[in-house]
């Protein structure tokens, strides 16, 4: 028995052993302890072995947790040669951690590659949409699009306010409202022209306009000659000037 204890003690005191949580007392050793095999440097063995047993149990729990994490990140890797083992080694845990780290690094590289491909596709699509021939022209065209978008946004906001529309009204509603206003204005203008010319027939309106084109140029020339002969500049002064000539 003492030989076994001595062997365990030598293992515990080796450089590879973990730090002990219990140290033997440095005080005098009682004779009865020597008779029971204690006092020979073995007093700390029970607590140390107990600590190691707890660590082995915790090692199994850690292995179980790492396996769950591995199944989440590596669902295709369902085989584990250590599942049926009674004891779990640190090397087994290290293999799982290495596999997880390798997969994460692989995913990170793939995500960076996909990001570059996505950005390239976005730039190419922008060039096609806005007719940009080179990469150097992308930024100027972006600025131009941004400015135009701001102008359109301000114009739509002003139209919503002028037409007393809700701010959430789509552009189609704005266009339809403007179209209706234009129809109303055109109708009113037509009615006013008809009232002014005293006719409801479009052909009569055309005839009157033609008559106006025939009459107005000679009349305008006559007025201009009168202004020059009478040496006046205002049409309203023509009649008083003629009366004075009598």
């Amino acid at each position: 028995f003492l030989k076994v204890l001595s062997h365990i003690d030598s293992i515990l005191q080796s450089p590879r052993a973990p730090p002990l949580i219990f140290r033997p007392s440095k005080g005098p050793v009682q004779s009865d302890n020597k008779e029971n095999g204690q006092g020979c440097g073995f007093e700390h063995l029970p607590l140390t072995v107990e600590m190691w047993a707890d660590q082995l149990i915790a090692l199994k729990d850690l292995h179980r947790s790492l396996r769950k994490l591995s199944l989440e990140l590596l669902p295709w890797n369902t085989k584990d040669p250590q599942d049926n083992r009674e004891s779990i080694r640190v090397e087994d845990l290290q293999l799982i951690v290495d596999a997880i780290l390798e997969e994460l690094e692989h995913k990170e590289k793939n995500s960076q590659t996909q990001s570059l491909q996505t950005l390239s596709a976005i730039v190419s699509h922008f060039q096609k949409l806005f007719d940009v021939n080179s990469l150097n022209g992308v930024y100027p065209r972006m600025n131009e699009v941004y400015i135009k978008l701001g102008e359109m946004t301000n114009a739509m906001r002003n139209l919503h306010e002028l037409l007393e529309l809700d701010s959430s009204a789509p552009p189609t509603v704005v266009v339809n409202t403007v179209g209706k206003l234009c129809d109303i204005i055109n109708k009113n203008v037509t009615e006013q022209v008809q009232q002014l010319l005293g006719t409801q027939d479009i052909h009569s309106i055309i005839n009157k306009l033609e008559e106006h084109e025939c009459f107005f140029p000679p009349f305008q020339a006559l007025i201009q000659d009168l202004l020059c002969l009478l040496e006046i500049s205002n049409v309203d002064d023509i009649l008083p000037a003629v009366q004075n000539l009598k």
Side-chain angles (χ1 to χ4, degrees):
F1 178 72
L2 290 177
K3 192 173 183 180
V4 174
L5 291 179
S6 178
H7 181 62
I8 295 175
D9 190 55
S10 63
I11 294 175
L12 295 176
Q13 294 179 3
S14 67
R16 298 180 58 188
L20 301 179
I21 62 173
F22 181 79
R23 296 289 182 181
S25 61
K26 297 182 180 180
V29 180
Q30 302 295 330
S31 59
D32 55 347
N33 289 339
K34 291 182 180 180
E35 294 176 357
N36 295 329
Q38 298 178 354
C40 301
F42 303 137
E43 299 92 337
H44 59 289
L45 293 182
L47 289 177
T48 303
V49 173
E50 183 179 354
M51 179 193 70
W52 283 8
D54 293 339
Q55 293 297 312
L56 289 176
I57 294 174
L59 201 64
K60 292 182 179 180
D61 294 337
L62 178 59
H63 178 265
R64 192 179 301 109
S65 300
L66 287 176
R67 281 294 300 157
K68 291 181 180 179
L69 179 61
S70 176
L71 290 175
E72 289 291 333
L73 298 177
L74 313 173
W76 57 87
N77 186 15
T78 57
K79 295 182 180 181
D80 186 5
Q82 313 302 333
D83 283 342
N84 299 324
R85 283 195 177 184
E86 291 292 334
S87 60
I88 303 298
R89 300 177 303 174
V90 176
E91 291 84 350
D92 303 330
L93 306 182
Q94 189 64 45
L95 287 175
I96 298 176
V97 173
D98 291 342
I100 294 174
L101 291 176
E102 183 178 357
E103 179 63 21
L104 291 177
E105 292 177 357
H106 182 67
K107 285 184 177 180
E108 184 178 359
K109 291 180 180 179
N110 287 341
S111 64
Q112 292 177 354
T113 303
Q114 292 176 358
S115 298
L116 292 176
Q117 293 176 350
T118 303
L119 291 175
S120 177
I122 292 174
V123 173
S124 299
H125 188 61
F126 181 88
Q127 289 181 267
K128 291 179 180 179
L129 287 178
F130 298 99
D131 193 23
V132 182
N133 297 325
S134 64
L135 290 177
N136 293 331
V138 170
Y139 281 111
R141 186 57 57 87
M142 281 185 176
N143 294 332
E144 182 181 349
V145 171
Y146 177 78
I147 293 173
K148 294 295 183 182
L149 178 62
E151 293 176 353
M152 292 297 297
T153 302
N154 292 333
M156 291 298 296
R157 186 186 300 111
N158 294 333
L159 286 174
H160 279 92
E161 294 177 357
L162 291 174
L163 300 175
E164 297 181 353
L165 296 174
D166 187 78
S167 59
S168 60
T172 53
V173 175
V174 176
V175 173
N176 292 335
T177 305
V178 173
K180 292 178 181 178
L181 288 176
C182 291
D183 292 339
I184 294 173
I185 293 173
N186 292 333
K187 183 178 180 181
N188 292 336
V189 170
T190 302
E191 292 177 353
Q192 291 176 3
V193 171
Q194 290 175 350
Q195 293 175 1
L196 178 64
L197 298 178
T199 179
Q200 302 295 325
D201 187 4
I202 186 66
H203 294 291
S204 299
I205 295 174
I206 294 174
N207 292 333
K208 287 183 176 295
L209 291 174
E210 290 177 349
E211 292 175 359
H212 177 269
E213 289 180 356
C214 293
F215 169 76
F216 185 75
F219 177 76
Q220 185 182 16
L222 175 62
I223 295 298
Q224 291 294 333
D225 292 341
L226 287 174
L227 292 174
C228 291
L229 290 173
L230 298 174
E231 297 180 352
I232 56 178
S233 60
N234 196 346
V235 176
D236 295 333
D237 296 334
I238 293 177
L239 185 58
V242 172
Q243 290 177 348
N244 291 332
L245 292 176
K246 292 181 178 181

